[in-house]
């Protein structure tokens, strides 16, 4: 009976064949990344300063004592975040690191499941192994596990926030967002999506949770004030190492301020126009609006703020997955050329052409984020101009007429019906009211490192 399963008598569909091929590849890749690469570690260790800070907190010693003159990973979590991660130091460093790796791996796997269900896919679909393999082949997941930082948990918080926001469970959505902001502010721009949708209750818990945790942590810490007087000013500085933002690479290459600000302001204008078009014409297309707007906001923050690191790109998985929607802005090759720039684990450092290879390696992340924002702006802008020429702006949509018959990748899969009152774990089916269509061996300063 067991051997018979290797060659069933019934004919297989193309999707079944692809699933049989992808599942073992995906599972073995996950196991390799978690139990081999991550446990082996790397010269870059984001976990050590976090563990030391947790140990100092539990023993009543000063926490914010990092030497900012070095390029080693520094401890940058605020007091509330320190309170939340303090249990890490209850066991010895090695076992604690293993537990933290497993926690992030579990968070990424749960985020993978929630991302599937967000787009109405099941674990039985061909999308499941394809997405799992793509995620664990990416630089952002690999280095999150190898460097051992908290980004996997932040990704899970993003997916939970999106589900709860679409279900209009505003206080819970805000609480999840608030917990992530308490540790690091990566997802803070997502409150603008709640504001655009008129879900103002999100702000109550999104702001309240960090405030409450800070109030609790303050009297328990010996030097809580040092975060605001010493660590926060350092965070707000633009540094010329470990930084793929426009300002970071401009500082590294010595570009003049006028050129740096010119690039930042130009990209900010493109982002503002893209967000306006999304708000004006796609707000009612809930799934497309939330996933695309979040991608634009987060990419803009990585590119235009003072600090952007490659593995922040993990938060763009919902935008990339939106390619299955008929009206996705990701259905073109330049968008995926951009994705290669900031997701690929490939290294472009060359022994033969050192200067060219070094520049390609250092700039590909910045160019990838930039190209992605330009592509989204061009796609939305072209739709708007075409709709204006055709006199369709008054209809409230700028999608081309032909798009209603465009293929939707989800049509090829069996979609389980989901009750509108489902829990987050069951994942709500959110439909649109209209058709959807590291440290580098060469010059260590340039590797993406973060606490």
């Amino acid at each position: 009976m067991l051997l018979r399963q290797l060659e069933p008598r019934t004919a297989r569909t193309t999707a079944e064949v692809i699933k049989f091929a992808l599942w073992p590849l995906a599972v073995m890749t996950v196991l390799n990344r978690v139990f081999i690469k991550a446990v082996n570690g790397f010269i870059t260790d984001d976990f050590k300063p976090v563990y030391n800070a947790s140990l100092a907190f539990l023993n009543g010693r000063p926490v914010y004592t990092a030497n900012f003159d070095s390029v080693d990973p520094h401890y940058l979590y605020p007091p509330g975040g320190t309170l939340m991660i303090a249990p890490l130091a209850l066991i010895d460093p090695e076992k604690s690191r293993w537990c933290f790796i497993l926690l992030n791996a579990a968070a990424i796997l749960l985020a993978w499941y929630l991302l599937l269900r967000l787009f109405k896919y099941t674990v039985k679909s061909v999308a499941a192994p394809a997405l799992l393999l793509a995620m664990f082949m990416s630089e952002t997941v690999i280095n999150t596990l190898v460097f051992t930082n908290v980004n996997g948990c932040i990704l899970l918080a993003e997916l939970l926030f999106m589900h709860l926001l679409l279900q209009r469970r505003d206080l819970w959505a805000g609480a999840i967002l608030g917990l992530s902001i308490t540790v690091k502010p990566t997802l803070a721009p997502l409150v603008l999506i709640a504001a655009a949708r008129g879900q103002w209750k999100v702000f109550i818990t999104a702001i309240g949770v960090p405030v409450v945790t800070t109030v609790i942590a303050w009297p328990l810490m010996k030097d809580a004030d040092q975060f605001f007087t010493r660590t926060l000013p350092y965070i707000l500085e633009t540094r010329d190492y470990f930084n793929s933002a426009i300002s970071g690479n401009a500082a590294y290459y010595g570009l003049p301020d006028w050129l740096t600000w010119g690039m930042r302001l130009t990209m900010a204008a493109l982002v503002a126009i893209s967000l306006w078009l999304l708000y004006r014409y796609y707000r009612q297309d809930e799934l497309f609006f939330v996933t695309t707007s979040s991608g634009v906001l987060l990419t803009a923050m990585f590119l235009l703020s003072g600090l952007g690191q490659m593995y922040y790109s993990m938060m763009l998985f919902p935008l990339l997955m939106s390619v299955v929607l008929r009206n996705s802005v990701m259905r073109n090759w330049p968008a995926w050329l951009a994705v290669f720039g900031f997701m690929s684990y490939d290294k472009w450092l060359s022994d033969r052409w050192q200067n060219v290879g070094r520049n390609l390696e250092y700039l590909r992340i910045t160019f990838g984020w930039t190209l992605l924002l330009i592509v989204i702006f061009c796609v939305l802008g072209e739709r708007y101009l075409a709709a204006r020429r055709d006199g369709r702006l008054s209809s409230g949509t700028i999608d081309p007429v032909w798009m209603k018959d465009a293929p939707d990748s989800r049509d090829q899969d069996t979609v389980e019906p989901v009750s509108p009152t489902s829990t987050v774990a069951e994942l709500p089916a959110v439909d649109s009211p209209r058709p959807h269509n590291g440290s580098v061996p060469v010059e260590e300063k340039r590797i993406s490192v973060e606490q």
Side-chain angles (χ1 to χ4, degrees):
M1 288 295 293
L2 178 62
L3 295 177
R4 192 179 303 166
Q5 298 303 312
L6 298 178
E7 191 62 52
R9 297 178 182 179
T10 55
R12 293 172 176 171
T13 65
T14 301
E16 283 182 312
V17 173
I18 294 174
K19 282 190 291 182
F20 288 142
L22 288 183
W23 267 118
L25 298 177
V27 170
M28 296 309 295
T29 299
V30 172
L31 294 176
N32 172 267
R33 301 307 190 248
V34 175
F35 295 105
I36 304 300
K37 275 189 171 293
V39 173
N40 286 348
F42 194 58
I43 186 173
T44 301
D45 185 358
D46 290 345
F47 181 75
K48 184 177 179 180
V50 173
Y51 183 89
N52 289 341
S54 301
L55 191 63
F57 172 79
L58 293 179
N59 287 279
R61 300 196 303 266
V63 171
Y64 300 107
T65 59
N67 176 16
F68 295 137
D69 292 328
S70 74
V71 296
D72 294 330
H74 303 125
Y75 182 73
L76 305 176
Y77 295 169
T82 304
L83 177 68
M84 290 178 61
I85 57 93
L88 288 174
L90 293 175
I91 55 179
D92 67 88
E94 185 177 38
K95 291 186 176 62
S96 180
R97 180 175 177 272
W98 293 351
C99 289
F100 201 55
I101 290 171
L102 291 175
L103 174 64
N104 273 277
I108 294 170
L109 289 173
L110 183 52
W112 160 77
Y113 174 76
L114 292 176
L115 188 55
L116 285 173
R117 301 298 287 134
L118 186 66
F119 289 91
K120 297 183 178 180
Y121 286 108
T122 70
V123 177
K124 295 180 180 179
S125 69
V126 69
L131 177 61
L132 185 64
L133 179 61
M135 290 174 71
F136 278 82
M137 287 290 289
S138 68
E139 182 277 345
T140 182
V141 169
I142 294 173
N143 280 345
T144 286
L145 295 173
V146 171
F147 298 166
T148 318
N149 59 57
V150 76
N151 285 341
C153 298
I154 301 299
L155 175 65
L156 175 58
E158 180 186 15
L159 268 299
L160 287 170
F161 170 76
M162 287 183 175
H163 279 289
L164 293 165
L165 191 75
L166 290 169
Q167 292 181 19
R168 297 194 173 271
R169 297 165 68 178
D170 296 357
L171 293 177
W172 281 109
I176 294 296
L177 193 61
L179 286 172
S180 74
I181 293 172
T182 298
V183 177
K184 57 190 300 186
T186 306
L187 301 182
L190 298 188
V191 297
L192 296 178
I193 296 178
R197 289 166 54 86
Q199 294 175 253
W200 300 104
K201 289 182 180 179
V202 168
F203 285 78
I204 298 174
T205 43
I207 296 173
V209 170
V211 170
V212 169
T213 52
T214 300
V215 169
I216 295 173
W218 196 279
L220 302 177
M221 296 184 68
K222 190 171 183 178
D223 60 342
D225 60 307
Q226 289 293 302
F227 173 79
F228 296 97
T229 60
R230 184 171 181 272
T231 304
L232 187 58
Y234 169 78
I235 294 174
L236 298 177
E237 291 177 358
T238 296
R239 62 200 197 200
D240 64 353
Y241 61 95
F242 309 169
N243 193 352
S244 295
I246 288 177
S247 58
N249 267 321
Y252 179 77
Y253 285 100
L255 299 185
D257 287 344
W258 67 265
L259 181 57
T260 303
W261 277 105
M263 290 188 291
R264 294 173 80 180
L265 291 174
T266 299
M267 292 307 302
L270 299 189
V271 168
I273 294 171
S274 298
L275 290 173
W276 180 82
L277 290 172
L278 288 167
Y279 175 81
R280 175 66 179 82
Y281 296 104
Y282 288 102
R283 200 163 70 255
Q284 302 307 316
D285 190 348
E286 293 187 309
L287 183 56
F288 175 84
F289 176 74
V290 170
T291 54
T292 307
S293 298
S294 67
V296 172
L297 285 168
L298 293 173
T299 306
M301 185 181 73
F302 306 156
L303 184 68
L304 303 179
S305 66
L307 176 64
Q309 297 180 312
M310 187 174 180
Y311 52 34
Y312 291 175
S313 302
M314 185 184 293
M315 310 311 153
L316 302 183
F317 281 140
L319 170 64
L320 306 191
M321 188 65 180
S322 72
V323 71
V324 303
L325 302 177
R326 287 191 175 94
N327 55 354
S328 173
V329 296
M330 300 298 297
R331 290 193 167 192
N332 55 81
W333 68 262
W336 292 95
L337 177 62
V339 172
F340 180 85
F342 56 76
M343 281 288 183
S344 170
Y345 193 61
D346 294 344
K347 301 297 181 187
W348 287 82
L349 297 170
S350 170
D351 293 335
R352 178 62 182 82
W353 301 284
Q354 292 187 11
N355 288 335
V356 174
R358 188 181 301 116
N359 290 335
L360 285 172
E361 177 64 19
Y362 296 167
L363 292 171
R364 68 187 178 95
I365 304 106
T366 311
F367 285 168
W369 290 335
T370 301
L371 179 58
L372 182 63
L373 292 175
I374 291 173
V375 167
I376 294 174
F377 166 78
C378 290
V379 170
L380 295 174
E382 190 279 333
R383 289 181 188 178
Y384 172 81
L385 294 175
R388 189 174 68 174
R389 285 194 303 269
D390 298 341
R392 292 186 287 107
L393 291 180
S394 59
S395 67
T397 177
I398 57 175
D399 282 346
V401 176
W402 56 263
M403 195 168 283
K404 64 181 179 181
D405 298 319
D408 187 314
S409 302
R410 298 173 302 166
D411 295 340
Q412 307 304 317
D413 253 277
T414 302
V415 179
E416 296 176 0
V418 182
S419 166
T421 58
S422 330
T423 63
V424 170
E426 293 170 334
L427 213 171
V430 183
D431 280 324
S432 167
R434 54 193 180 79
H436 284 299
N437 313 288
S439 197
V440 189
V442 182
E443 294 190 40
E444 292 184 10
K445 279 191 171 187
R446 297 299 302 165
I447 179 173
S448 298
V449 181
E450 166 203 16
Q451 292 64 49

